[in-house]
């Protein structure tokens, strides 16, 4: 499903060159439940943005379902992002002028879903993450643990083939955290490929494979035997 | 130092009235290390914003160092915020157009510190949180675990009497998290009053008093015997 080969990412800040990804090569099969861990600044979000077709590597190739992503134009990338991938950003990226329901409906606009259907599906997604009674709240009227859940609902609403979640539970209390991870487990049991970045060992337990980053490189890649 | 009496906060969304704080009464002495916990949406950030003089209650009184905050004008509030309180926001509130160093210098501008002194103190604060080599990075060039640390550095740079930190470690890996909590412990040992909202039991262990919120009320308030 996902195949990356020698992915690098270099930033220039002032006259300093900073190699954030130093050559990542790995593949992820359909249906996997992968957890990515590693210290702050080790390149996890940068890698996720490349997987999510939101950023391009400095060098290396990324194949998604066999297609070389580097060769695609803007419209094709946009189509892939909206149809195949649900992304939960580390900072949620909610649109301030839309309420929770409208934020969750957003991916459905790209797919020509009728207005009534959008409303229904967005409501159901919000219900799945425990925010049924917060539909009309705007992001600044939501708590720090409610905003990520709106972002999670938005990532699910399109039934994407792949969910990329960057620290989805960082701001959640234990109960909400367990609910969200159980939800991801159910989605994975239904065939959705899940890739989650987390700092929390409890969250990592839900995955069947743990990839560890350090200083822009993968230093460990272990599959867990089913428990 | 801090005395709140029957603090309420009510929001209206549409024609629904939502009591986010239902009558909070408690006092916090100088030099305490207080941890606030509770489920998502239970009112913790709302309470912290009132303590930090960033928001006003719907009813009830808040005395800070004996002064009734409700009676103060905008300039007086602004002065108190900048001189006495260091605030780490749940969403960091970094200024996108300023780099890390400039963001950290900001509170010092209010205090008439010379430009050279500001630079020195901001550099030292960034060093304390492990971000010495990220000074010239802008917020969107920082990782999810680096941004909160800039916010923490900014909250410390003025040597405030009180530090209010809303989920300061939510996005930090274990190592950074321990460094930050050790830093808060040292500051507390030096006399600074610390009030931290957290979801993490490990972080709560650093406090000597745990106040638990639920549905806008305090349901527990326990002092820990020194271990
Ligand atoms: N401006 C607002 N208008 C309407 N409702 C609001 C507003 N701000 C917050 N709320 C609501 O108040 C409740 C409490 O919010 P608050 O941010 O204090 O929770 P919290 O305890 O900090 O939660 P978390 O742990 O998720 O950060 C939430 O249910 C939220 O939806
Ligand atoms: N646009 C950019 N320009 C310059 N440097 C950047 C940029 N984006 C990220 N960086 C740097 O790249 C490094 C890796 O960032 P990244 O966000 O991938 O880390 P991370 O592993 O997700 O960390 P965290 O766990 O803190 O979220 C960081 O040191 C950061 O400062
Ligand atoms: Mg990150
Ligand atoms: Mg909060």
């Amino acid at each position: 499903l996902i195949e990356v080969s020698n992915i690098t990412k270099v930033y220039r800040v002032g006259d300093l060159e900073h190699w954030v990804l130093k050559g990542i090569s790995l593949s992820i099969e359909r249906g996997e439940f992968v957890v990515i861990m590693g210290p702050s600044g080790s390149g996890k979000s940068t890698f996720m943005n490349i997987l999510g077709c939101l950023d391009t590597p400095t060098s290396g190739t990324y194949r998604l379902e066999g297609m070389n992503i580097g060769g695609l134009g803007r419209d094709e990338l946009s189509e892939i992002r909206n149809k195949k991938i649900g992304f939960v950003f580390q900072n949620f990226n909610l649109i301030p002028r839309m309420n929770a329901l409208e934020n969750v409906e957003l991916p459905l606009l790209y797919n020509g879903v009728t207005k009534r259907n959008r409303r229904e599906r967005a409501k159901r997604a919000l219900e799945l993450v425990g925010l049924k009674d917060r539909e009309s709240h705007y992001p600044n009227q939501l708590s720090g643990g409610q905003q990520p859940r709106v972002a999670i609902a938005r990532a699910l609403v399109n039934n994407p083939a792949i969910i990329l979640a960057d620290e989805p539970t960082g701001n959640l209390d234990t109960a909400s955290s367990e609910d969200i991870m159980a939800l991801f487990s159910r989605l994975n049991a239904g065939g959705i490929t899940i890739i989650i970045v987390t700092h929390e060992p409890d969250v990592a337990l839900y995955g069947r494979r743990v990839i560890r980053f350090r200083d822009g490189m993968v230093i460990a890649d272990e599959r867990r035997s089913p428990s």
Side-chain angles (χ1 to χ4, degrees), chain A residues 192-226:
Chain A
I192 297 181
T193 307
I194 311 254
I195 303 167
I196 295 184
V197 172
T198 185
H199 286 304
E200 297 171 55
D202 287 353
V203 169
L205 290 176
Y206 286 84
R208 290 190 298 279
R209 176 180 174 188
V210 180
I211 297 173
R212 289 186 188 275
F213 274 64
R214 190 193 200 99
D215 290 329
M217 302 177 73
V218 170
I219 59 162
D221 188 345
E222 300 166 349
R223 281 166 206 279
R224 204 196 298 281
S225 44

Side-chain angles (χ1 to χ4, degrees), chain A residues 134 137 140-146 171:
Chain A
R134 288 285 178 278
H137 284 235
N140 68 349
Q141 296 174 327
L142 294 170
S143 77
Q146 291 163 344
N171 279 298

Side-chain angles (χ1 to χ4, degrees), chain A residues 66-143:
Chain A
M67 231 184 327
N68 187 339
I69 297 299
L72 301 183
R74 288 185 68 157
D75 291 344
E76 291 163 294
L77 276 179
S78 186
E79 174 133 352
I80 285 182
R81 273 202 305 270
N82 285 308
K83 290 220 158 89
K84 296 193 186 295
I85 300 170
F87 206 117
V88 185
F89 294 86
Q90 195 165 5
N91 60 357
F92 323 144
N93 277 3
L94 298 181
I95 302 199
R97 289 188 196 165
M98 293 184 176
N99 64 27
L101 195 69
E102 292 160 342
N103 262 286
V104 176
E105 285 180 343
L106 219 48
L108 298 172
L109 289 173
Y110 291 104
N111 286 297
V113 180
T114 68
K115 184 167 183 171
R116 181 180 195 169
N117 249 334
R118 285 204 309 267
R119 199 124 288 232
E120 296 270 319
R121 289 171 64 167
K123 278 177 183 275
R124 238 183 301 150
L126 279 172
E127 202 167 338
L128 271 179
V129 300
L131 287 178
K132 187 168 172 204
D133 55 353
R134 288 285 178 278
E135 289 172 9
S136 41
H137 284 235
Y138 286 78
N140 68 349
Q141 296 174 327
L142 294 170
S143 77

Side-chain angles (χ1 to χ4, degrees), chain A residues 138-201:
Chain A
Y138 286 78
N140 68 349
Q141 296 174 327
L142 294 170
S143 77
Q146 291 163 344
Q147 291 171 19
R149 285 187 275 156
V150 175
I152 291 164
R154 182 181 58 187
L156 312 178
V157 77
N158 241 350
N159 285 324
I162 304 167
I163 290 175
L164 300 172
D166 196 344
E167 291 278 357
T169 64
N171 279 298
L172 299 183
D173 57 52
T174 313
S176 310
S177 201
E178 288 173 352
D179 290 345
I180 291 300
M181 292 314 297
L183 173 58
F184 282 143
S185 294
R186 291 199 296 278
L187 293 169
N188 182 240
I192 297 181
T193 307
I194 311 254
I195 303 167
I196 295 184
V197 172
T198 185
H199 286 304
E200 297 171 55

